[in-house]
Amino acid sequence: MALIVHKYGGTSMGSTERIRNVAKRVAKWAHGGHQMVVVPSAMSGETNRLLALAGELTPATTTVEVLRELDMIAATGEQVSVGLLAIALMAEGLDAVSYTGWQVPIQTDSAYTKARIQNIDDKRVRADLAAGKVVIITGFQGIDEHGHVTTLGRGGSDTSAVAVAAAMKADECLIFTDVDGVYTTDPRIVPEARRLRSVSFEEMLEMASLGSKVLQIRSVEFAGKYRVPLRVLSSFTPWDIPIDEEAASGTLITYEEDEKMEQAIVSGIAFSRDEAKIAVLGVPDRPGIAYTVLGAVADANIDVDVIVQNVSHEGRTDFSFTVHRNDFSRAMDLLESKVVGAIGASGLVGDPKICKVSIVGIGMRSHAGVASKMFRTLSEEGINIQMITTSEIKTSVVIDEKYMELAVRALHKAFDLELPTT
Ligand code: ASP
Ligand code: MG
């Protein structure tokens, strides 16, 4: 008998018919002798609908008071799904009970709309499991030290599931979703993209932060910290496929470079369209300049990604960086009004039509020439690289948005990602 956590996304919970299917799948695992904890998302579209209602009443979502209320509203989506799923499980003849985040409780900090889980008390859940019940816990939410409801950021149910699995030392956490695993890249752009049977946690973390939308990045961080056995798999297979077959499907996140790992140098190509580039020109090259420019941006809560500072000429240099496209105008306004004049820079230019394309693979650690192959591939396609950034297991380039799909396809081919590795 194992303790298994299942997470079902909004699409899997999208109608009562689908919820019935989820219940049948969970019942199959319970009848297979496993203790089951299930963490569902809100029904698809529900969180958007709820937040849009709030948006009709207030355009300003910046005060803490408003953010608190947004969490109060958004958290109801998951409350509905857990109750529905509990009833559906009872209809399958199982004992089931549902809890919201505050009932468990799942303790978080007070960063409304993007709270972090701090602690999960599993006493109540364990008692129910011991009594033979399936326990259903809302994804996406918790409670802070003041007793206020919090949510974990969009897509946060992944994190709830992984955190529950970590707290309970579950034998496995299965993330059921509308794709059947993690792919070498987005199959909508490269039809030959291949499902990875396994991917290392480090690669998954890079892919999640570089634009792959399969798992919320915090859930991957959590999984890595507590080494939660994690698998991403499809909720669209027939609910009655054999448990063994289901347990071996999808993509397994692994923690060691062991024989389970596919031995590719590059495992995947990630991309993100949501980027914008800003360059502060003719910046006096003296201590404190990076801090002055980026400090102002950070104080406005704008995340900066790729940063490049050139060699200086006659005491002046250009300083470029990327931000999320949603933050572009705010960052430009801020720099124009507060920074450019103050530091004596000669100008400010920006381009919101760029994208970032990255190759990711732990094999890059031990193989030279991977980045240069990337650059050669892009040059053969006539694609100009505007910025480059690297880590041990990834190389990212910033390029013109209009070449994104071309770049992804060319790189996928150049690194033979359409071919099976083992
Ligand atoms: N319902 C939340 C959202 O739409 C959380 C989730 O689905 O993971 O973002
Ligand atoms: Mg999701």
Side-chain angles (χ1 to χ4, degrees), residues 7 9-10 41 155-156 158 177 213-216:
K7 185 261 170 177
S41 294
D158 292 341
T177 178
K213 302 220 161 47
V214 180
L215 287 175
Q216 197 206 31

Side-chain angles (χ1 to χ4, degrees), residues 59-296:
T61 54
T62 43
T63 67
V64 179
E65 289 74 18
V66 171
L67 292 173
R68 177 196 179 276
E69 301 308 330
L70 290 181
D71 279 358
M72 192 69 166
I73 296 160
T76 62
E78 271 70 10
Q79 184 169 341
V80 172
S81 13
V82 291
L84 290 172
L85 182 55
I87 290 175
L89 277 163
M90 291 175 199
E92 296 300 317
L94 288 170
D95 265 354
V97 60
S98 73
Y99 294 120
T100 59
W102 61 267
Q103 287 176 306
V104 173
I106 295 178
Q107 204 74 46
T108 72
D109 64 18
S110 300
Y112 304 118
T113 74
K114 51 178 182 209
R116 280 185 186 271
I117 295 178
Q118 291 172 329
N119 185 54
I120 297 179
D121 182 349
D122 65 355
K123 260 199 261 39
R124 193 168 190 175
V125 180
R126 284 208 188 274
D128 289 325
L129 290 175
K133 292 182 186 165
V134 173
V135 181
I136 309 161
I137 302 174
T138 48
F140 183 52
Q141 59 175 266
I143 186 161
D144 73 2
E145 58 175 335
H146 311 293
H148 300 307
V149 171
T150 57
T151 70
L152 310 180
R154 299 307 305 270
S157 297
D158 292 341
T159 302
S160 307
V162 173
V164 165
M168 305 208 58
K169 302 197 172 45
D171 294 282
E172 192 155 19
C173 178
L174 304 182
I175 309 276
F176 287 89
T177 178
D178 50 0
V179 293
D180 64 350
V182 180
Y183 275 69
T184 49
T185 195
D186 188 337
R188 283 170 298 191
I189 293 193
V190 184
E192 299 78 28
R194 206 169 41 83
R195 178 170 59 81
L196 297 163
R197 281 186 292 118
S198 67
V199 65
S200 76
F201 146 74
E202 287 108 319
E203 291 171 321
M204 194 62 233
L205 195 60
E206 290 282 11
M207 288 186 200
S209 69
L210 292 168
S212 153
K213 302 220 161 47
V214 180
L215 287 175
Q216 197 206 31
I217 180 159
R218 281 191 186 169
S219 72
V220 186
E221 288 168 3
F222 232 102
K225 191 159 167 204
Y226 298 100
R227 302 215 149 204
V228 177
L230 188 62
R231 185 180 287 279
V232 178
L233 67 173
S234 171
S235 64
F236 290 132
T237 53
W239 67 265
D240 56 354
I241 67 166
I243 288 187
D244 291 353
E245 199 180 307
E246 187 153 56
S249 68
T251 301
L252 178 70
I253 316 300
T254 60
Y255 297 95
E256 251 110 54
E257 298 180 44
D258 57 24
E259 65 286 346
K260 270 184 277 172
M261 291 296 310
E262 298 187 22
Q263 290 303 322
I265 295 172
V266 170
S267 299
I269 316 282
F271 54 84
S272 157
R273 279 193 185 86
D274 312 326
E275 316 266 329
K277 185 174 81 166
I278 294 176
V280 189
L281 307 174
V283 173
D285 192 9
R286 59 165 192 256
I289 284 298
Y291 171 64
T292 313
V293 175
L294 298 180

